[in-house]
Amino acid sequence: MKRILIVGAGGQIGSELTTYLRKTYGGANVVATDMRECPALGEDGPFEILNACDAEAVASAVSRHKIDAIFNLVALLSAVGEQNPQKAWAINMGALNNALEVARQYNCALFTPSSIGAFGPTSPKDKTPQDTIMQPTTIYGVCKVTGELLSNYYYTRFGVDTRSVRFPGLISNVTLPGGGTTDYAVEIYYEAIKSGKFTCPIPENVYMDMMYMPDALRACVELMEADPSKLVHRNSFNVTAMSFTPETIYAEIKKRMPDFTMDYNVDPVKKAISESWPNSIDDTCAREEWGWKPEWDLSSMTDDMLEHIRRKFASENK
Ligand code: SER
């Protein structure tokens, strides 16, 4: 990767991946794009407004900037997707379809995240294998499975260097996620600092896989830089760092903030989605094929999240 285009750079992953990639590949070599103005993304490199569903605009950006690798991060997440499935399909598949076609025409590598949401209630629940039944019950998951198949098709049919990971819930302290089922595991930290109490929308005993953003950023780059001859799989690798329930993360925060309290107001849509996803996924293939290994666990992540969010609120309230 020498000249990189990030599509959907203003979201939860993109806002941090842009900075991360610019540190490694040079600010001028990482072009961040989004539907909306994102002033922070223009500070240390090029930023452009780009509608990922406009095929000509995507092709123009790739051609003008002589791009050789695309990160397509555009997606409506699982819970918000259920409010308007047609829109979710149009955006999630429209952006991917354009990215694949442009990657084919301009000979670019392409990274698109998949998700634990690609699994469904008929997948094995525990240690969900890399290759298994995938019958998701959300439009988000349907898009992810379709995207995985389509990306593999572009690789075998046209030789496009497509690669992907199935991310678990991503926890970060820079940009909030929006409309996802795993968002609670980010919101809980903000509420702990802001108000000392949190109302959880996910049932207390539901396990979901999670990962701290620094591990996720490293996963993107390590997979894209991996020796292609070692990759048996491409779209998409199971990766995980931890698996916990609302009760586990609550207890972890409470250890550090004894006055913190949590109650429940379970959201029926998020309940159904969270219960349809794996308790934990098996990432052996990623470990074997490109050396994936997480560095953060629940305890170290909790220390880091609380410290960063505390600092953020302190500087905002100055
Ligand atoms: N974090 C996503 C969601 O909850 C899953 O990939 O929708």
Side-chain angles (χ1 to χ4, degrees):
M1 294 192 290
K2 291 196 171 62
R3 301 271 307 162
I4 300 169
L5 179 75
I6 307 181
V7 187
Q12 191 201 12
I13 302 176
S15 56
E16 289 186 62
L17 187 64
T18 301
T19 312
Y20 187 81
L21 290 173
R22 282 176 176 165
K23 279 192 188 130
T24 314
Y25 298 93
N29 294 321
V30 179
V31 182
T33 69
D34 199 90
M35 281 282 282
R36 282 176 291 262
E37 280 293 355
C38 303
L41 295 180
E43 281 168 14
D44 52 356
F47 173 83
E48 285 183 15
I49 299 276
L50 177 69
N51 174 3
C53 293
D54 178 342
E56 277 176 25
V58 179
S60 158
V62 165
S63 154
R64 277 184 291 112
H65 294 286
K66 303 192 171 22
I67 296 299
D68 66 2
I70 304 170
F71 285 77
N72 165 40
L73 305 176
V74 173
L76 289 197
L77 294 184
S78 58
V80 79
E82 292 312 297
Q83 289 165 16
N84 193 338
Q86 282 289 325
K87 185 176 168 193
W89 174 269
I91 292 175
N92 297 7
M93 295 312 299
L96 175 61
N97 207 34
N98 288 342
L100 283 165
E101 260 309 282
V102 170
R104 181 179 72 78
Q105 286 162 16
Y106 290 86
N107 200 18
C108 301
L110 173 61
F111 177 89
T112 305
S114 184
S115 162
I116 51 169
F119 297 109
T122 52
S123 307
K125 268 257 166 274
D126 297 298
K127 289 261 155 216
T128 309
Q130 171 70 38
D131 300 309
T132 189
I133 300 167
M134 302 182 79
Q135 297 174 326
T137 47
T138 61
I139 191 67
Y140 176 73
V142 170
C143 291
K144 288 302 186 195
V145 174
T146 312
E148 290 189 13
L149 293 171
L150 199 56
S151 299
N152 276 339
Y153 176 78
Y154 266 73
Y155 171 64
T156 49
R157 176 79 167 78
F158 303 118
V160 179
D161 186 0
T162 54
R163 306 184 190 191
S164 170
V165 295
R166 293 181 187 132
F167 274 134
L170 296 181
I171 296 168
S172 65
N173 52 57
V174 175
T175 303
L176 287 168
T181 304
T182 57
D183 295 9
Y184 92 90
V186 179
E187 288 155 3
I188 191 171
Y189 288 111
Y190 279 83
E191 285 307 320
I193 301 289
K194 212 168 25 177
S195 64
K197 54 181 197 291
F198 178 62
T199 299
C200 185
I202 303 293
E204 60 183 36
N205 55 354
V206 172
Y207 279 90
M208 284 186 278
D209 282 287
M210 302 281 174
M211 184 183 291
Y212 198 29
M213 189 60 90
D215 274 339
L217 302 177
R218 202 168 41 76
C220 295
V221 172
E222 285 179 5
L223 174 58
M224 291 309 279
E225 294 290 2
D227 176 353
S229 70
K230 303 259 163 57
L231 301 180
V232 180
H233 298 84
R234 279 182 166 265
N235 304 284
S236 173
F237 284 95
N238 283 6
V239 287
T240 186
M242 58 193 101
S243 165
F244 56 74
T245 67
E247 285 297 311
T248 334
I249 186 171
Y250 170 59
E252 199 64 34
I253 297 174
K254 207 170 166 64
K255 266 190 225 162
R256 293 153 176 88
M257 303 178 65
D259 295 335
F260 178 50
T261 59
M262 181 169 85
D263 59 9
Y264 290 86
N265 182 11
V266 171
D267 175 320
V269 174
K270 290 186 177 178
K271 175 179 190 292
I273 297 174
S274 62
E275 288 174 348
S276 78
W277 289 354
N279 292 335
S280 65
I281 61 174
D282 178 355
D283 59 8
T284 308
C285 290
R287 288 172 186 261
E288 288 178 358
E289 292 174 39
W290 49 279
W292 159 248
K293 195 167 182 289
E295 287 174 358
W296 293 82
D297 62 13
L298 179 58
S299 172
S300 54
M301 177 180 79
T302 298
D303 286 335
D304 203 59
M305 279 295 282
L306 292 175
E307 189 193 318
H308 274 92
I309 297 168
R310 252 190 214 111
R311 260 195 260 147
K312 202 177 195 165
F313 280 125
S315 70
E316 276 170 15
N317 294 332
K318 257 184 202 156

